[in-house]
Amino acid sequence: MSLLDVRNLTTRIATSRGVMNVVEDVSFTVQQGECFGIVGESGSGKSMTCRSILGLLSKSGSATGAAWFEGQDLLTLKSDALQQIRGRQIAMIVQDAASALNPVVRIGTQIAEAMMQHGLVSSKAEARQRSLKLMSKVGIPATESRIDDYPHQFSGGMCQRVVIAAALSCSPKLIIADEPTTALDVTIQDQILRLLVALQAEFGMSLILVTHDMGVVAQTCQRVAVMYGGELVEMADTASLFRTPRHPYTMGLLNCVPHLDRDVGTARLRPIPGAPPDLMNPLAGCRFHPRCPLANDACKSTRPPLREVAAGHFSRCLRQDVLGKDIWNAESARA
Ligand SMILES: Nc1ncnc2c1ncn2[C@@H]1O[C@H](COP(=O)(O)OP(=O)(O)O)[C@@H](O)[C@H]1O
Ligand SMILES: [Mg+2]
């Protein structure tokens, strides 16, 4: 049985311009001990998917569908029941560690907070001891002298380590990491990712890793889902997705990944031309068709279903028969 089973998740947000579906009919599962990636350009609905699952939508948002976790549908739980699961069973790590931490509360207190709240420690002294252990686990040096520091005394990378320590504190079964390294320097990004993946393996946790970086997915995830315009457009195990992508959008994203051997000093890095879809006025047909080199009349009128195109490999593209390696080499593709 899957640890998390998200079914037909649709999230609507009411804005002054009207209601829009920021997540539409998204289904995926996460297995015990698995690292599952969610990728897509900015605005594709990755964060909204995570927030919907954890009941962290603002008042203007509402989610339908189901998110089964250990026999309970998280979408139907009352807020106090969800509160019991959040932090304890499922922890979330967000992009901006500095803003996730409270500037006027000491680091150690913040790491201990969830353990105290969920009654996992019987005294402040015990919480402090466990916080110290967690700090060294996530690679914070001089724990004894730093545990009483405030967030502003830590660098961005160290703040993210604190956030990871807090997320680990209750030994959750699932960590949802929403672009956990985007705000950090490139060298620090790599360290934090390695740390997260090593801890995930050590603790036997599952991890949902949200990123817009295909390179990160390749390094860390067993399976991956690709989102575009609020929809899941492709899902597969990472090796098949990289070897034989089955959606033009994924192929475009992979085209954007730098390859050290071939891109140094060349102009091979091409972003996907065109703009993301306007969710307020969804197009008929495939949402990607205005940017797709393979789009034909059917793509403009028929919304493609997410179909299993190979074992365990799903794609929301009607043009399976003509998907080739070089579709993003404009001359050949448009012809
Ligand atoms: N509070 C909000 N009010 C209105 N629209 C929002 C709000 N938050 C996000 N959106 C919209 O929802 C869509 C999905 O956003 P998000 O899930 O944050 O994307 P991602 O995480 O993939 O970058 C975007 O089009 C964004 O503009
Ligand atoms: Mg986001």
Side-chain angles (χ1 to χ4, degrees):
M1 205 180 72
S2 309
L3 180 66
L4 178 70
D5 186 349
V6 176
R7 291 191 201 163
N8 312 106
L9 176 69
T10 296
T11 304
R12 294 180 182 83
I13 293 198
T15 72
S16 52
R17 291 202 296 145
V19 177
M20 61 180 176
N21 287 11
V22 291
V23 177
E24 191 152 332
D25 201 17
V26 164
S27 300
F28 62 89
T29 59
V30 180
Q31 309 305 314
Q32 189 81 48
E34 178 180 45
C35 179
F36 182 78
I38 303 181
V39 288
E41 288 168 305
S42 185
S44 57
K46 306 181 297 295
S47 296
M48 282 297 165
T49 300
C50 301
R51 298 180 70 84
S52 305
I53 293 168
L54 283 176
L56 293 173
L57 294 173
S58 62
K59 277 212 173 71
S60 59
S62 64
T64 57
W68 293 98
F69 178 82
E70 306 237 289
Q72 291 181 296
D73 177 6
L74 301 178
L75 300 194
T76 60
L77 286 184
K78 297 236 161 31
S79 66
D80 49 345
L82 207 49
Q83 191 89 43
Q84 283 305 310
I85 290 180
R86 263 199 317 258
R88 175 76 186 86
Q89 315 257 26
I90 307 179
M92 180 140 175
I93 299 172
V94 293
Q95 177 175 335
D96 188 0
S99 73
L101 296 171
N102 186 333
V104 296
V105 177
R106 296 177 198 278
I107 293 297
T109 311
Q110 299 200 53
I111 296 175
E113 197 177 346
M115 293 187 272
M116 302 285 285
Q117 187 192 332
H118 293 291
L120 299 185
V121 282
S122 47
S123 66
K124 280 197 168 164
E126 189 188 349
R128 188 177 173 89
Q129 281 314 310
R130 287 188 46 175
S131 297
L132 285 167
K133 277 208 183 104
L134 284 161
M135 286 172 72
S136 51
K137 192 106 223 156
V138 299
I140 298 173
T143 53
E144 287 280 1
S145 63
R146 306 233 48 187
I147 189 168
D148 294 317
D149 281 354
Y150 291 95
H152 75 264
Q153 294 168 283
F154 277 58
S155 66
M158 281 297 157
C159 281
Q160 194 57 295
R161 286 174 197 266
V162 171
V163 170
I164 293 172
L168 289 173
S169 64
C170 299
S171 307
K173 297 193 167 106
L174 173 67
I175 289 194
I176 301 181
D178 188 357
E179 310 223 26
T181 60
T182 307
L184 305 172
D185 293 342
V186 178
T187 48
I188 310 290
Q189 283 187 9
D190 202 48
Q191 289 171 15
I192 296 287
L193 269 179
R194 279 170 202 276
L195 171 70
L196 206 50
V197 173
L199 291 169
Q200 178 226 346
E202 183 184 336
F203 285 63
M205 298 176 299
S206 304
L207 179 65
I208 297 180
L209 184 63
V210 175
T211 175
H212 57 253
D213 186 335
M214 277 293 194
V216 165
V217 171
Q219 277 176 35
T220 52
C221 302
Q222 277 98 52
R223 281 190 311 131
V224 54
V226 180
M227 287 191 75
Y228 183 77
E231 290 181 325
L232 209 153
V233 295
E234 184 163 7
M235 179 164 60
D237 68 88
T238 307
S240 343
L241 189 106
F242 275 72
R243 206 181 314 118
T244 44
R246 302 292 292 263
H247 194 287
Y249 177 61
T250 312
M251 293 173 157
L253 289 180
L254 290 172
N255 232 2
C256 304
V257 180
H259 292 271
L260 267 184
D261 48 346
R262 67 159 212 236
D263 292 320
V264 175
T266 71
R268 288 295 295 263
L269 282 187
R270 273 182 309 238
I272 303 174
D278 175 5
L279 298 178
M280 199 58 86
N281 301 295
L283 292 167
C286 170
R287 290 194 176 166
F288 190 58
H289 84 252
R291 300 170 76 182
C292 182
L294 300 178
N296 63 10
D297 286 344
C299 303
K300 292 174 192 164
S301 57
T302 311
R303 179 161 178 253
L306 186 72
R307 272 191 321 200
E308 191 165 13
V309 292
H313 196 142
F314 299 82
S315 168
R316 199 184 279 284
C317 174
L318 299 173
R319 308 292 324 266
Q320 294 299 315
D321 49 332
V322 291
L323 281 179
K325 270 208 160 24
D326 286 328
I327 64 164
W328 287 100
N329 283 336
E331 298 80 6
S332 61
R334 287 277 174 204

